[in-house]
Amino acid sequence: IVGIFSTVIAVDTPPIELALLCAGIFLSTLGWFVIVATGFSAPKTRAWFFRYETWIQRGCGVVLLALAGSLLH
């Protein structure tokens, strides 16, 4: 995130705007992790995940292999 914003935000950005941007980034990241943690702690979600865990792992492996293969070309 820092790399993206360091190329987009101007050097002369007022400190209040920088503070608001930092607060926004913090709150959006916190919100995302709260949603994910809450969702994966629900019994129905956990049961579904553990039922399909092998296929989820395999799917993630295929995606990662495809990404690695794309770096070779």
Side-chain angles (χ1 to χ4, degrees):
I1 291 177
V2 173
I4 293 171
F5 283 105
S6 66
T7 59
V8 175
I9 297 174
V11 175
D12 58 347
T13 302
I16 188 71
E17 285 186 33
L18 290 175
L20 289 172
L21 284 169
C22 289
I25 293 168
F26 172 77
L27 290 174
S28 65
T29 303
L30 178 68
W32 169 251
F33 282 110
V34 166
I35 289 169
V36 170
T38 304
F40 275 103
S41 65
K44 286 178 109 176
T45 307
R46 288 175 51 89
W48 179 87
F49 178 78
F50 288 129
R51 185 173 336 135
Y52 296 107
E53 181 179 13
T54 302
W55 290 104
I56 293 170
Q57 297 275 347
R58 289 177 182 168
C60 289
V62 168
V63 169
L64 291 174
L65 282 172
L67 288 171
S70 71
L71 292 174
L72 297 175
H73 290 290

